[in-house]
Amino acid sequence: MGFRSVFQRGNKVIEINNFKGSKEKSKYKLKDKGPSPEKKKSIVIPSERVIKARYYQEIERDGGSSYTTNTWLGWLGYVYTGRRSMVEGKKALGIRPHEPFPLTIIEQKIRKFWPKPELERIVKSGQRTERTVCKFKAAHPVEYMAAHNHYGGMKGVLENMDPPYSSAYSVLVSRNHRSDRITQENQECLSGTLLDWYCSGRFIAPSYLATTPIGSEERKASNDLVLIARSGSLHARSRSEVIKQLTGLSLEDFRISKGSSKQYSRLTERLAQFVLTWADTLGLNVPWIPQGRLKTEESERLFHHNGQDVYADFRIRDHSIEVKSPIGALHPVGMRKIIGRYTPGNNNWADGWPISDSTLILLQPRRLYSRYESDLAEAGINLVTYETFYQTLEQVLAGIKKDKSLIQDLVPRVNLDAIESLGKELLHPSLLLRPRNRERRTWLCEMLDSLNQRARKLKTKKRIDETRVPRLDIPESRTGSNSKGKYITYQRKFNELPKNPIKKAIAKNRQQLTADNLKQRFPILSQFELTDQGLRVVSFDLETCGRAYSDPILSIGYCIFTGKKLDSRVLLARDYSQEAAIISEFLKELTPDSIVLTYNGNFDLPRLTQRAIANGVKLNGERFRSLKEVLGDRHIDLMDAAKNQAKYDPKLRLPDYKLITLEEHLWGYTRMGDIPSREIPSTYHCYLRGYTLKREPVMDEHGEPKTDSKTGEPETKFVRVEGDINKSTRRVRNIVYHNLQDVVSYQALLLELLKPVQ
């Protein structure tokens, strides 16, 4: 049997439906009265018994109630009093309200922190003091929060004390003494600091800066952002707006999304598994890794804690291993959970054995968790710092490099340098966490999964006899490197280019490239001091893994034409980790005296800008701007120029302005064996994953090939073919040749446009 009660408060109807059964399912529904009964909204909360039991369980386990429980208590208070109040909800359940922290203890801490004679001298002189309210908060956080929650803050406590404390708040608060730092010079200094942090991989998101330890550089920068926002000097009302004004970045460039954080956590767990499995496979003697088989199945990692099912990250025998890589400082509640769960002897595994020992791997700067080291030591939990973990990672990578046959036949193709750079980025993972680097995170996860699977196989078998896959081999290419990493470079001089009509057209018309012809054809270049001796024309083209800004750049082809010589070059990223290296290397070629050519630059310039920002590569030294702004009037879009000249030049009046169409109509050149542009992203993706794609006809329900209704041609689809990975390797070479031919054609088109119209 059940009963129903209805309360009406204002324009809301609150229905409380209690159903008594074996599990006592009780619901509270709060419905809005409206003209249509079908559109009523309701809020459902569990029974009072469930809320009360959960509240006491969370208080005992975590030291505080969760957000969900507080929401239930608030709506329960609405049922009884007509207003959402967690305090009223507690009263309805008979929960004794929390007693406020004694005021006398807070005053004792204040008098001890600021002795009366010293405070009298500070108040009379009005001088700046280092012992501010912020320093009191760092020294006595419990008393500070109690004053904030129950006594009107530090200002309310100080005003109710005897002199000189009653008039000391305006002197002790730090922001009054730091207002002089809001100057133009300090803003420029802060802008440079934020840019340096961003490019080096450190976080500049306001949510992160505000959680760093008090007194750190990041916390000082966060306070400066607040002061600038309050002053209104940049017309920005929030810290994020101030960062955007100072650096020129967009909100998406420096924010930390939940999806990126979760994927980063999974990536660090796979990296830890890589170290644990390969250290055992290679027979390395690592003190902090116990001997035994690494258990990764969920059923093997399950244990019970306070009636809840909890999964450890890894288990070796009865030893639990937990990996934590928080972005900011660990919260005290989170650390209490870790200590309660992993203290040896507190809990048992699901198979009945007790947790005999525990190891916590903290992959973050030590300053963010140094205050918890003593608590972990008292609980008997072994702490592995980032320095110890990275040292073990280097030992594992060195062991694998001694015998590369262990990993040479793996797919996706393995790049040990990328794993080493990942280990270095763990302290400052801002670059890796940016939303537009999702493809790189996915690729790293797949590569680590493949390595971990191989380690497990090698542990059970001495070797696996499989067909070895040849490395990417582009004839006459070489490996380059810079501060951002390694890359593949393919360079060709003019006399080394293949003989075709385009090469003949360049040789015939190269005398047209003069400063006067450029100014006459493109009047916007008249503002620059161009001479025939110092003339430098750079044409470039990008090949990307897709059309979105989050798709990485896989190669950059560019051609430098000075009138006397023509040098062409292609920078190829062997994998996603080398994208920053090819971008940084190419930007060095864009000198201030260069004329830059693109073909449909509306695609290339914004993508190069966004990928440079995503990889922390500066376009200039001051702030992030788009490449179009940096180049200014020195950029020429050949597609627009060809369309404009077609108005009075009949030979440029074409059905479309694709590059292959121009090559066919202007020079009679048709590319043979070239890879279509639409297949380049899938080809590169297949190369990294170690398989290839094959076109097959699409069949209808009768088993006959389908035809396209518009073109009348047979419809085809790509089918994944396992094992045939040599074909994808050869097609990557075609990408290089395709990119090289594009930039050479740009130079030939420029010379064609400079010719006088007949």
Side-chain angles (χ1 to χ4, degrees):
M1 297 292 295
F3 62 90
R4 178 182 180 188
S5 303
V6 179
F7 299 88
Q8 182 170 357
R9 302 189 186 282
N11 61 343
K12 287 189 177 182
V13 172
I14 308 168
E15 292 189 8
I16 307 173
N17 296 325
N18 295 325
F19 302 96
K20 293 185 178 179
S22 59
K23 295 185 179 180
E24 192 180 349
K25 295 182 180 179
S26 302
K27 300 180 180 180
Y28 292 84
K29 294 186 178 180
L30 283 67
K31 296 184 178 180
D32 290 338
K33 292 176 65 178
S36 177
E38 292 82 6
K39 296 184 179 181
K40 291 183 179 179
K41 297 181 180 180
S42 63
I43 299 172
V44 181
I45 60 177
S47 64
E48 297 179 359
R49 183 185 65 83
V50 173
I51 298 175
K52 189 173 183 179
R54 174 166 174 161
Y55 174 81
Y56 282 120
Q57 182 182 11
E58 291 174 348
I59 291 294
E60 180 181 358
R61 184 184 64 204
D62 305 329
S65 55
S66 65
Y67 176 80
T68 302
T69 305
N70 293 340
T71 303
W72 291 345
L73 289 171
W75 281 113
L76 191 62
Y78 185 88
V79 170
Y80 283 92
T81 63
R83 62 187 183 92
R84 285 186 61 182
S85 172
M86 196 172 69
V87 176
E88 298 297 335
K90 289 182 179 180
K91 289 181 180 179
L93 294 177
I95 299 175
R96 185 178 179 182
H98 180 69
E99 295 182 358
F101 200 86
L103 181 61
T104 55
I105 297 179
I106 300 176
E107 292 179 349
Q108 290 176 5
K109 296 292 184 181
I110 291 175
R111 295 180 188 277
K112 186 176 181 180
F113 192 79
W114 292 294
K116 190 172 183 178
E118 180 182 351
L119 190 61
E120 287 180 348
R121 179 179 56 81
I122 294 173
V123 172
K124 289 181 180 179
S125 62
Q127 296 178 355
R128 179 177 177 179
T129 177
E130 295 182 357
R131 300 177 68 83
T132 60
V133 173
C134 289
K135 295 295 180 65
F136 179 83
K137 178 182 178 181
H140 307 287
V142 176
E143 288 76 8
Y144 177 87
M145 292 306 300
H148 176 75
N149 294 331
H150 303 289
Y151 302 106
M154 291 294 294
K155 183 177 182 180
V157 175
L158 288 170
E159 288 179 351
N160 292 327
M161 295 177 64
D162 57 314
Y165 295 96
S166 58
S167 59
Y169 180 78
S170 59
V171 180
L172 300 177
V173 68
S174 59
R175 63 172 180 265
N176 290 347
H177 294 282
R178 295 175 57 225
S179 59
D180 57 337
R181 296 170 59 183
I182 311 174
T183 61
Q184 183 66 26
E185 182 180 355
N186 289 329
Q187 289 182 12
E188 294 177 357
C189 180
L190 180 61
S191 173
T193 302
L194 292 175
L195 279 176
D196 292 340
W197 289 353
Y198 181 84
C199 292
S200 62
R202 297 171 67 175
F203 291 105
I204 62 172
S207 58
Y208 169 79
L209 297 177
T211 58
T212 52
I214 296 176
S216 62
E217 295 180 354
E218 292 90 344
R219 194 59 173 268
K220 292 178 181 177
S222 177
N223 296 337
D224 289 343
L225 293 174
V226 174
L227 293 175
I228 294 174
R230 288 176 177 174
S231 66
S233 57
L234 296 179
H235 305 286
R237 297 183 178 181
S238 64
R239 295 172 295 173
S240 298
E241 291 292 334
V242 173
I243 294 176
K244 290 169 62 177
Q245 294 284 343
L246 292 177
T247 62
L249 297 168
S250 64
L251 181 61
E252 187 179 359
D253 293 330
F254 60 83
R255 71 182 179 91
I256 306 171
S257 65
K258 292 183 179 180
S260 301
S261 302
K262 290 181 180 180
Q263 195 176 25
Y264 174 68
S265 299
R266 291 193 295 268
L267 182 59
T268 53
E269 290 178 7
R270 284 168 169 80
L271 183 63
Q273 183 180 353
F274 167 77
V275 172
L276 295 171
T277 53
W278 278 95
D280 186 27
T281 302
L282 297 173
L284 301 179
N285 185 15
V286 182
W288 62 271
I289 300 179
Q291 297 295 325
R293 182 178 70 88
L294 182 68
K295 301 178 181 179
T296 57
E297 298 295 332
E298 288 189 356
S299 58
E300 298 174 330
R301 299 183 288 110
L302 174 65
F303 66 93
H304 304 288
H305 174 69
N306 288 339
Q308 292 185 343
D309 293 343
V310 183
Y311 294 92
D313 288 338
F314 307 105
R315 175 186 176 185
I316 300 178
R317 295 182 179 177
D318 298 328
H319 190 120
S320 66
I321 300 177
E322 185 71 11
V323 182
K324 291 294 181 184
S325 54
I327 296 174
L330 276 170
H331 195 272
V333 175
M335 183 54 68
R336 284 199 296 268
K337 285 184 180 180
I338 294 174
I339 293 175
R341 291 176 178 178
Y342 297 103
T343 299
N346 274 10
N347 303 297
N348 295 336
W349 296 105
D351 54 14
W353 293 96
I355 299 179
S356 59
D357 204 355
S358 299
T359 297
L360 176 63
I361 304 175
L362 274 176
L363 302 179
Q364 62 172 187
R366 190 171 184 177
R367 57 187 174 82
L368 297 179
Y369 62 84
S370 57
R371 56 176 175 169
Y372 302 123
E373 291 183 351
S374 58
D375 298 335
L376 293 171
E378 291 178 3
I381 299 176
N382 304 315
L383 177 62
V384 177
T385 62
Y386 165 79
E387 291 75 17
T388 304
F389 179 82
Y390 183 73
Q391 184 179 2
T392 308
L393 176 62
E394 287 183 324
Q395 295 177 9
V396 170
L397 293 175
I400 297 176
K401 289 179 180 179
K402 291 180 180 179
D403 188 5
K404 289 189 176 181
S405 62
L406 298 173
I407 61 171
Q408 199 160 1
D409 55 344
L410 285 179
V411 289
R413 289 172 170 81
V414 174
N415 186 351
L416 297 180
D417 293 335
I419 298 178
E420 185 177 1
S421 63
L422 171 63
K424 295 178 181 178
E425 288 185 48
L426 293 178
L427 282 183
H428 304 294
S430 172
L431 284 175
L432 196 62
L433 275 167
R434 290 169 191 171
R436 290 170 180 162
N437 287 335
R438 176 178 54 83
E439 188 67 28
R440 183 188 170 201
R441 294 192 298 269
T442 304
W443 169 70
L444 285 170
C445 286
E446 292 178 0
M447 183 171 60
L448 289 173
D449 285 340
S450 178
L451 284 167
N452 294 335
Q453 185 178 3
R454 171 53 54 86
R456 290 193 293 269
K457 289 182 179 179
L458 290 176
K459 187 62 180 176
T460 56
K461 300 178 182 180
K462 294 295 183 179
R463 284 288 189 271
I464 299 178
D465 187 14
E466 295 178 350
T467 305
R468 296 179 63 178
V469 176
R471 298 181 63 183
L472 178 61
D473 182 21
I474 301 176
E476 302 181 12
S477 65
R478 61 183 179 85
T479 302
S481 63
N482 53 28
S483 59
K484 295 293 183 178
K486 298 180 180 179
Y487 55 90
I488 297 176
T489 177
Y490 178 77
Q491 190 168 0
R492 278 288 180 268
K493 295 183 179 180
F494 181 72
N495 56 359
E496 298 173 347
L497 293 174
K499 295 181 180 180
N500 55 42
I502 296 180
K503 182 178 179 181
K504 294 180 181 179
I506 294 177
K508 179 180 178 181
N509 301 325
R510 62 190 312 169
Q511 68 275 8
Q512 300 291 338
L513 185 63
T514 61
D516 294 337
N517 286 347
L518 280 173
K519 292 180 181 179
Q520 183 179 359
R521 177 61 186 83
F522 305 102
I524 198 171
L525 298 178
S526 301
Q527 57 183 309
F528 303 108
E529 297 180 0
L530 301 180
T531 60
D532 293 342
Q533 292 77 16
L535 193 60
R536 189 172 188 268
V537 180
V538 180
S539 61
F540 78 92
D541 180 59
L542 305 180
E543 299 299 341
T544 64
C545 295
R547 292 184 174 274
Y549 289 146
S550 59
D551 295 324
I553 296 174
L554 61 96
S555 72
I556 304 176
Y558 61 93
C559 188
I560 302 175
F561 199 10
T562 59
K564 295 182 179 180
K565 63 178 182 177
L566 184 146
D567 293 331
S568 53
R569 189 179 181 190
V570 177
L571 306 175
L572 176 67
R574 190 184 295 274
D575 49 55
Y576 299 133
S577 65
Q578 297 182 358
E579 181 190 13
I582 64 173
I583 294 176
S584 177
E585 186 69 18
F586 169 68
L587 290 178
K588 297 177 183 178
E589 302 292 346
L590 300 182
T591 57
D593 59 340
S594 300
I595 305 299
V596 181
L597 305 178
T598 60
Y599 195 79
N600 190 17
N602 293 331
F603 176 88
D604 295 313
L605 294 183
R607 275 151 187 80
L608 186 57
T609 299
Q610 295 301 328
R611 295 312 303 169
I613 291 175
N615 287 279
V617 180
K618 285 186 178 181
L619 299 176
N620 52 25
E622 301 175 359
R623 62 195 295 270
F624 279 102
R625 294 184 297 172
S626 66
L627 188 59
K628 190 173 183 179
E629 295 177 357
V630 174
L631 297 177
D633 295 335
R634 293 184 292 112
H635 168 245
I636 299 174
D637 193 332
L638 293 177
M639 177 182 281
D640 296 339
K643 289 180 180 179
N644 292 333
Q645 188 161 329
K647 298 176 182 178
Y648 49 86
D649 192 350
K651 66 181 179 181
L652 287 176
R653 294 171 187 170
L654 307 175
D656 61 68
Y657 286 87
K658 296 180 181 179
L659 189 60
I660 56 176
T661 305
L662 281 169
E663 292 173 349
E664 292 176 0
H665 283 74
L666 293 180
W667 306 294
Y669 174 65
T670 302
R671 301 190 186 188
M672 302 298 294
D674 187 47
I675 180 173
S677 299
R678 65 178 181 275
E679 296 182 9
I680 288 177
S682 60
T683 298
Y684 189 75
H685 183 83
C686 294
Y687 159 72
L688 291 181
R689 268 67 180 184
Y691 54 82
T692 187
L693 297 177
K694 180 182 178 182
R695 281 188 178 273
E696 287 188 358
V698 179
M699 313 300 290
D700 59 11
E701 61 272 11
H702 303 293
E704 297 180 357
K706 285 186 177 181
T707 57
D708 193 342
S709 59
K710 296 182 178 179
T711 62
E713 298 179 356
E715 293 186 11
T716 59
K717 64 179 180 179
F718 281 112
V719 179
R720 175 171 168 173
V721 180
E722 300 287 351
D724 187 11
I725 57 180
N726 292 328
K727 185 176 179 181
S728 64
T729 302
R730 292 192 297 269
R731 287 173 67 84
V732 170
R733 303 174 192 170
N734 293 339
I735 295 176
V736 175
Y737 303 148
H738 173 94
N739 203 355
L740 183 67
Q741 184 60 56
D742 283 352
V743 294
V744 173
S745 297
Y746 295 168
Q747 296 286 4
L749 178 59
L750 174 65
L751 297 177
E752 195 71 28
L753 294 175
L754 294 178
K755 290 172 58 177
V757 180
Q758 297 179 356

